[in-house]
Amino acid sequence: MARRAKVLAEGTDLAPIDEDAAIFPISVAAGLAGMHPQTLRGYDRLGLVVPSRAKSRGRRYTARDITRLRLVQHLSQEEGINLSGIRRILELETRIDRLNEQIDQLTDTVRRMQDAEYHGNADLPRVFTAESTGLVHMGRTIVRAQLALPSR
C-alpha cells in the first residue's frame, strides 16, 4: 500500500485541494484541528468558525476553516485570549483581508488605465487628479501658464 501511494505521488500531478471546498465532516475536521467535535459545535454556535452545511444538514468544513480552528485554539490556549477577544481578532483579520483585496483590485485598475494612457488608448476612462485647492481634473494635473503680475 505504501509503495502504491509513493508511485501515485511521484507519477501524477495531483491538483491542489481548494481551500474553500467544504469537504470535511465534523469528525475529520476535529481530528485535523486536534479538538473534540463538541468544541467545534460550540465555536459554530458562537460564530467563531461557521462551516457550511451539507444537504443532510451536517457540518462541512473547508481547509480554511481548519486553519482558522487551529488559530482559535492557539489564541485561546497559548495566548490566553478569551473567546470574545478571539471573535474580535477574527473579525479584524477578515476586514483586513477584504481591504487588501480592494487594494489589489484598485491597483490593477490604475495600472490598466496608466498602460492604456501610455499606449494612447483614449477609449478607457481617465483617472481623476486633484489640486491642493481641491479642484478636480480629468487625467493629469493641469499646469496653468503664469500670467503677468497684477499691476499696482
Side-chain angles (χ1 to χ4, degrees), residues 3 7 10-11 19 77 82 88 94 104 110 114 126 130 134:
R3 178 169 159 50
V7 170
E10 289 176 358
E19 284 189 355
Q77 292 179 356
N82 64 21
R88 184 68 179 141
T94 301
D104 291 342
V110 168
Q114 288 172 339
R126 295 177 177 234

Side-chain angles (χ1 to χ4, degrees), residues 103-119 124 127:
I103 288 170
D104 291 342
Q105 291 173 352
L106 290 171
T107 301
D108 290 342
T109 301
V110 168
R111 192 170 288 126
R112 280 195 318 271
M113 293 172 117
Q114 288 172 339
D115 287 344
E117 183 179 330
Y118 178 75
H119 293 298
L124 293 175
V127 178

Side-chain angles (χ1 to χ4, degrees), residues 59-71:
R59 291 171 174 87
R60 291 291 183 258
Y61 290 85
T62 65
R64 193 178 307 274
D65 291 335
I66 292 169
T67 302
R68 194 171 179 144
L69 286 167
R70 289 177 178 164
L71 175 63

Side-chain angles (χ1 to χ4, degrees), residues 19-30 35 37-55 57-69 72 90:
E19 284 189 355
D20 296 317
I23 55 177
F24 302 110
I26 192 167
S27 59
V28 174
M35 300 177 182
Q38 196 62 34
T39 305
L40 273 64
R41 290 183 186 97
Y43 289 166
D44 184 8
R45 279 191 298 277
L46 293 171
L48 293 175
V49 179
V50 180
S52 58
R53 299 284 182 152
K55 289 182 182 178
R57 299 295 299 152
R59 291 171 174 87
R60 291 291 183 258
Y61 290 85
T62 65
R64 193 178 307 274
D65 291 335
I66 292 169
T67 302
R68 194 171 179 144
L69 286 167
V72 169
L90 294 176

